[in-house]
Amino acid sequence: MIIYCKKLKIYLIVVSTLEKIRILGENGKYDICASTSSSRSESAPNLFGNSVNWIGSTISAGVCHSYAPDGRCISLFKVLFTNKCIYDCKYCFTNVCKKRVSFTPEEYARTFMKLYSMNVLEGLFISSGICGDADETTKQMLETVKLLRFKYNFRGYIHFKCLPGTSYYLLKEAVQLADRISVNLEAPTKEILAEIAEQKNYNTDIIKRQRWLKEIRNKHNTKARKIMDEQKDNQFPKQSKSEKNSQKIKIEEDEWTDEWGITRRSTGYKKIRWDGAPILNSGQTTQMVLGAGSETDFDILKRLDWAYREIDLRRGYFSAFTPIKGTPLERKQATPLEREHRLYQTDWLLRLYHFPIKEIKEILTVDENLPKGDPKLHLARNYFGENGKIDPNKATYKDLLRVPGIGLTSARRIIQLRRDNLIVKSRAQLHSIGVILKRADPFLRINGHVQKTLDVFKPI
Amino acid sequence: MIKNQKNYSRLFGFSKEEMLTNLPRHSQCNPNLLLKVQNTSESILKNNGSQFARKINRMLHEIFRELERNRQFTRTNLNNHGVLYGKITLSHQSEDQLLKYFHNRFPNCFICLFNTIKNETITMNEKAKIQKFQVSLNKFVQNISRNRPITPYFEDISMNNEEIFQEFYSSQFIASRENRKYFKKMIPKYAMEMPGMKGGVEYKFRNNQLDKYINKKN
Ligand code: SF4
C-alpha cells in the first residue's frame, strides 16, 4: 500500500503485517534450531515481574501444535525481525531478497500474542538479519522481548538468537529474558566460515560470544540459587525434579567438579544437562550449515565435542545446504538430507550415549565422513567384533547401550527388570520392552540362543 | 491426578500408582479391572509382556493420547472480555486436565471448552473452579462475557487470527523437505477431524499443495 505523508511530503510504502509475516517467515524458516524445550519449573523464581495478568507457561512446553507438510513441527513463531542485513553470507537469502522489511517491536509482540492466544504456538524464536550493526538490531529484538515479558506479561518460552558481534552488556540482558539463546556457528572452523561468510570473524564474533554466554549463565545462576536458598530457609522446600536429581548426584570415580561446582563426566560433558537453572534454563544451542563449505563430518563432530565440553552447549543443529537461486552458491549441489540425519544420529551417540569421539573417528571413511548406514551399527561391529554377542541378562548398562536397537529407555528397563529378579527369556519379551529386534538380534544371545538377521551383516 | 506425566509415563512406563489413579478416566474402565490391576505386580504391568499388561497400557495411552491431541489441536479464541473458548473432542474423563492446561497458560481468563462428544460446555474460572453446563458454546460465551468488563489488554491481543496463522503456516514450508508420510503420521486423519482442525489451515494448505502437485504432473 502506498500512502502520502503530508508532514514529510513523500510517498511511503506501507507493508501490511500479513505481508511481513509472509516475507520474514520465508526468510526465517531455514533456521532449524527451533524446538520447544524448557525445564523451568513452578519452583523457579518469578523473573518477569509480579503482574497478576501473566499469560503463558513453559511448564507444559513441548506440545507441537501443527506440522508443516515436511513433517517438521511448527511450535515456535519463527519469523525474522528484519531481513535487512549488512552481511552477505554466500548461502543466504539476503543476496536475492528484493523486498526488505522490518517489524516494529510492538507489531511483532502483538502478532505473536495473537497467535499464542489461538493455541497454535508454544513459544517464540526471535532472530534477525543485521540491520545497521549487531547491537542496534539486538536492542530492537530485546525491546520486543521486553514488551512481551513486561507489557503482555508473557511467561512462556522464548528462544533468542544472538547475532554475531553482539556486545556483552546486551547478551547479559538477553540471558535474563530468554529461555534459550543460540549463536550460530555456521561452520566448524575459521577457515570454512571464511569460505561461506567472509565478513564474520569466527573467533571474536562467534566463539567469544558463546564463551560469554556460558560465563554469564553460570554467574547469574550461582547468584540466583543463593537468593532462592535464602528464601527457602523460611519456607517449606518445594523442589523440582532437576533439583532433586542434582542432590541425588553421586560423583563417580572418573567424574570431576569444575570451578562453578558443575559435575562433569570424564569426557568433560556436564553430568546433568537439564540442571533446572532459573536463568537461561534451556542453555545455549548452535547451528551449522552442512555442505556449503568444504567441511567433513569429523570437523563438525570435533566442533560439537568441543562445544559440549567448553561452552556447555545443550545441543547442536544441522541445516543441510539448499542452493538459493541468485546467490553465489546457486550452482552448488544441495546437501542430501541423509547427511543431516547421520550427523544427528552421531550427535546423539556423543551427547546422550556418551560414546567417546575417538571411537567415532574409527568408523569414518578415508575422507573423514560418516559411512553409509546407522553409525551405531558400525560402532557395534567394531566393539563386539563379527561374532561377539552379549546376554541381555548379564550385560552392563553401558554394553546394552552399544547394541543397535536398544535405546536409553529399553536399556534402563532391562536393568530394572534384572533388579526385580526378572530375567528376559525370549525375544518376544525383549520386543515388548521396546527393543528393535531386527537390529539388535545379531548382537544378542538370549537364553543361550542366537539369531542372525542377515540384513545387518550385509555390507551396506 | 496425572502426575508429572511428561517426565515419567513416557520414559519409564506408568507406575502402578499412576495406573490406578488414571485408569478410572477411561470410558471403558470398571471396578473389576481396577481390582485386577491392584493384584498384579508392577513389573509385569509395566513391561507389556502379558496380554493384560498390554490392555492396561493401551487404555492408558488412549487417555493420554486423546488428551495430548486436544492440547495440541484445540484452536481457541480470546475475546476482549478475557474469555478463552474453543471446541474439544474428549471421550474419556480428562476434561479437568485440559482445563488446567489452558488455565496454566491464561490464568486470568475464563476458560470455556465445548466437548462435541458429550455435548456439554466445561468451564474453569480464574480461581480454577471447574463447572459443567448443558448449553451451547456461543450462548454461554455471550452470557459470561456480559458480566465481565472489556479489558483493553485483551482487546489488544484478541481478533480473528486465522488469517495470520494461515500466512505464517504457509511461509514455513520448505519444498525440498516435503515429507507427506511424516506429515500424516504427525497429524493423523482423526486429528484432522477435530473441531479446531476441520477445514483448518493445515488441511487447506495441504490440499492446495496437492492440487499444484497433481497439475504439475499433468
Ligand atoms: S548474517 Fe549472514 S546468514 Fe545472517 S541474515 Fe545476514 S547474510 Fe544472512
Side-chain angles (χ1 to χ4, degrees):
Chain A
M1 191 168 66
I2 300 172
I3 55 163
Y4 183 71
C5 175
K6 282 183 187 164
K7 211 173 173 187
L8 300 172
K9 291 184 182 157
I10 50 167
Y11 283 98
L12 295 172
I13 300 174
V14 182
V15 184
S16 70
T17 307
L18 277 183
E19 196 170 358
K20 284 183 191 172
I21 293 177
R22 189 178 53 75
I23 299 169
L24 297 170
E26 263 171 26
N27 291 164
K29 70 184 170 192
Y30 294 102
D31 222 318
I32 307 289
C33 50
S35 56
T36 36
S37 46
S38 173
S39 62
R40 231 198 296 149
S41 68
E42 275 152 344
S43 63
N46 177 10
L47 302 171
F48 314 120
N50 284 320
S51 167
V52 285
N53 291 328
W54 59 268
I55 283 181
S57 151
T58 52
I59 294 154
S60 49
V63 173
C64 293
H65 296 272
S66 67
Y67 295 86
D70 47 24
R72 285 173 316 130
C73 64
I74 301 176
S75 59
L76 298 180
F77 185 60
K78 205 171 11 144
V79 172
L80 290 187
F81 187 79
T82 173
N83 60 359
K84 296 173 189 165
C85 191
I86 48 167
Y87 290 162
D88 56 351
C89 305
K90 289 185 184 157
Y91 52 87
C92 182
F93 61 86
T94 42
N95 293 282
V96 279
C97 192
K98 283 183 192 119
K99 227 172 186 175
R100 301 298 170 122
V101 287
S102 306
F103 274 106
T104 61
E106 178 65 46
E107 192 182 11
Y108 196 98
R110 206 184 307 150
T111 311
F112 167 73
M113 285 309 290
K114 278 178 185 171
L115 289 176
Y116 193 79
S117 75
M118 250 182 105
N119 194 34
V120 292
L121 292 176
E122 195 63 33
L124 171 67
F125 172 88
I126 183 164
S127 178
S128 178
I130 302 166
C131 179
D133 69 46
D135 280 358
E136 218 173 283
T137 316
T138 305
K139 274 182 201 162
Q140 293 270 313
M141 287 159 70
L142 279 173
E143 180 68 38
T144 312
V145 177
K146 277 186 211 159
L147 275 175
L148 281 171
R149 291 292 195 212
F150 303 115
K151 181 177 172 193
Y152 293 105
N153 302 310
F154 177 66
R155 285 218 204 156
Y157 180 83
I158 294 183
H159 181 147
F160 190 87
K161 178 68 70 184
C162 162
L163 306 176
T166 306
S167 297
Y168 187 84
Y169 78 99
L170 289 173
L171 273 187
K172 229 172 142 181
E173 227 175 295
V175 163
Q176 293 170 55
L177 293 166
D179 289 85
R180 171 170 277 180
I181 298 190
S182 56
V183 193
N184 280 2
L185 278 166
E186 314 293 13
T189 63
K190 194 163 104 183
E191 294 74 26
I192 297 164
L193 185 76
E195 287 172 26
I196 54 174
E198 51 203 16
Q199 292 141 310
K200 288 181 189 166
N201 186 317
Y202 198 69
N203 288 333
T204 53
D205 286 349
I206 300 169
I207 302 284
K208 199 171 172 186
R209 267 70 195 170
Q210 290 187 319
R211 286 192 188 278
W212 281 353
L213 278 175
K214 177 191 169 184
E215 186 193 305
I216 300 170
R217 183 180 191 266
N218 286 345
K219 257 191 206 168
H220 271 273
N221 282 324
T222 319
K223 259 194 228 165
R225 283 228 170 84
K226 243 189 210 166
I227 297 168
M228 279 165 73
D229 285 346
E230 279 167 18
Q231 284 173 351
K232 263 183 207 163
D233 281 348
N234 307 325
Q235 290 170 11
F236 185 74
K238 191 178 163 192
Q239 287 172 321
S240 68
K241 195 190 164 202
S242 44
E243 280 169 336
K244 278 179 203 158
N245 274 348
S246 58
Q247 283 174 8
K248 256 191 252 163
I249 180 171
K250 259 194 275 161
I251 299 191
E252 282 162 24
E253 254 174 46
D254 50 356
E255 284 162 4
W256 48 282
T257 315
D258 69 6
E259 75 265 33
W260 300 102
I262 296 169
T263 312
R264 294 183 179 276
R265 294 173 189 275
S266 56
T267 47
Y269 295 12
K270 266 172 97 169
K271 182 162 185 183
I272 295 187
R273 291 169 49 248
W274 289 98
D275 51 7
I279 288 160
L280 198 62
N281 175 282
S282 306
Q284 60 166 316
T285 60
T286 192
Q287 177 176 290
M288 284 184 255
V289 185
L290 300 180
S294 56
E295 80 286 338
T296 63
D297 289 348
F298 189 53
D299 288 332
I300 288 176
L301 293 170
K302 260 194 306 190
R303 175 55 66 190
L304 277 180
D305 178 59
W306 170 87
Y308 292 138
R309 278 184 286 112
E310 298 291 327
I311 55 161
D312 291 347
L313 190 78
R314 195 51 68 77
R315 63 167 297 185
Y317 288 87
F318 313 111
S319 168
F321 166 74
T322 324
I324 299 175
K325 225 176 157 198
T327 60
L329 298 180
E330 68 172 322
R331 298 238 166 105
K332 205 171 164 98
Q333 252 192 346
T335 307
L337 290 178
E338 202 194 335
R339 185 175 178 206
E340 202 182 278
H341 179 55
R342 296 287 166 238
L343 275 165
Y344 275 124
Q345 283 180 317
T346 320
D347 174 42
W348 275 58
L349 295 179
L350 266 180
R351 181 162 48 97
L352 300 173
Y353 288 70
H354 307 293
F355 280 53
I357 189 144
K358 262 191 268 163
E359 269 185 45
I360 293 173
K361 195 180 173 189
E362 283 165 23
I363 61 160
L364 297 179
T365 57
V366 197
D367 50 4
E368 297 206 317
N369 283 322
L370 286 166
K372 264 190 170 179
D374 182 0
K376 196 174 174 189
L377 183 63
H378 291 280
L379 284 162
R381 282 183 188 171
N382 269 8
Y383 185 75
F384 295 115
E386 199 69 359
N387 295 310
K389 302 208 176 354
I390 58 163
D391 184 343
N393 294 314
K394 288 180 188 151
T396 60
Y397 176 70
K398 277 189 179 169
D399 276 352
L400 283 173
L401 281 185
R402 288 184 168 273
V403 177
I406 298 187
L408 296 165
T409 311
S410 29
R412 212 177 291 146
R413 282 181 181 163
I414 295 172
I415 298 288
Q416 213 176 340
L417 279 176
R418 203 185 297 165
R419 268 192 219 133
D420 293 354
N421 289 328
L422 290 166
I423 278 171
V424 179
K425 287 184 191 140
S426 68
R427 296 171 69 245
Q429 281 175 336
L430 272 184
H431 175 70
S432 67
I433 287 168
V435 174
I436 301 170
L437 288 172
K438 197 179 148 198
R439 299 213 214 149
D441 265 340
F443 303 97
L444 295 179
R445 183 189 306 271
I446 309 162
N447 227 355
H449 297 290
V450 293
Q451 175 127 4
K452 268 192 184 179
T453 307
L454 291 175
D455 281 359
V456 181
F457 279 114
K458 259 199 267 170
I460 298 165
Chain B
M1 266 282 286
I2 300 180
K3 266 196 244 160
N4 289 340
Q5 179 216 339
K6 217 151 246 146
N7 297 338
Y8 298 113
S9 22
R10 293 261 176 88
L11 284 178
F12 309 114
F14 299 94
S15 70
K16 194 168 165 178
E17 195 195 333
E18 279 173 320
M19 289 179 186
L20 287 168
T21 36
N22 292 313
L23 266 177
R25 290 177 184 280
H26 199 280
S27 53
Q28 283 163 13
C29 179
N30 58 49
N32 285 346
L33 192 84
L34 287 176
L35 199 71
K36 206 172 166 190
V37 173
Q38 197 137 32
N39 296 333
T40 314
S41 105
E42 179 161 336
S43 33
I44 291 175
L45 284 169
K46 264 176 138 179
N47 276 299
N48 256 351
S50 65
Q51 212 177 346
F52 180 64
R54 273 200 293 278
K55 181 183 171 185
I56 298 300
N57 282 306
R58 178 184 47 78
M59 284 172 80
L60 286 165
H61 281 293
E62 275 168 7
I63 301 168
F64 287 111
R65 197 187 304 132
E66 190 189 61
L67 182 62
E68 196 73 358
R69 289 280 177 219
N70 275 281
R71 278 180 183 158
Q72 279 182 294
F73 300 130
T74 300
R75 302 294 183 236
T76 50
N77 282 304
L78 180 66
N79 71 14
N80 48 14
H81 296 268
V83 180
L84 187 87
Y85 57 97
K87 287 183 179 171
I88 55 167
T89 44
L90 275 180
S91 57
H92 307 299
Q93 325 287 325
S94 34
E95 291 97 341
D96 57 328
Q97 288 302 313
L98 195 59
L99 282 169
K100 225 162 127 191
Y101 166 80
F102 284 108
H103 176 73
N104 275 341
R105 290 165 170 247
F106 301 92
N108 13 310
C109 292
F110 192 94
I111 322 274
C112 301
L113 300 173
F114 180 73
N115 192 345
T116 50
I117 293 184
K118 296 178 186 168
N119 263 331
E120 60 185 18
T121 302
I122 47 168
T123 66
M124 186 179 256
N125 68 5
E126 291 91 330
K127 287 176 186 146
K129 191 182 164 203
I130 299 176
Q131 279 181 301
K132 276 183 191 175
F133 300 92
Q134 304 290 334
V135 196
S136 74
L137 184 68
N138 285 349
K139 216 170 165 189
F140 191 84
V141 172
Q142 265 176 19
N143 285 346
I144 203 83
S145 301
R146 218 175 288 145
N147 304 326
R148 295 169 65 93
I150 292 184
T151 320
Y153 174 78
F154 289 124
E155 209 166 20
D156 220 18
I157 56 174
S158 64
M159 215 174 78
N160 183 10
N161 310 319
E162 186 75 7
E163 221 183 0
I164 301 181
F165 182 50
Q166 181 139 0
E167 204 64 65
F168 169 62
Y169 184 81
S170 328
S171 76
Q172 298 296 302
F173 174 53
I174 303 178
S176 58
R177 283 175 186 259
E178 179 154 16
N179 189 341
R180 226 161 258 281
K181 230 168 130 186
Y182 194 35
F183 174 83
K184 276 190 185 162
K185 191 182 157 199
M186 299 321 245
I187 308 191
K189 213 174 163 195
Y190 69 85
M192 279 288 190
E193 264 139 38
M194 287 177 62
M197 302 283 288
K198 244 182 208 170
V201 175
E202 290 93 335
Y203 189 77
K204 279 188 250 164
F205 182 72
R206 191 166 147 236
N207 281 356
N208 269 340
Q209 289 298 312
L210 196 62
D211 289 346
K212 270 188 215 163
Y213 179 73
I214 294 165
N215 291 341
K216 237 189 242 173
K217 284 240 157 168
N218 289 342

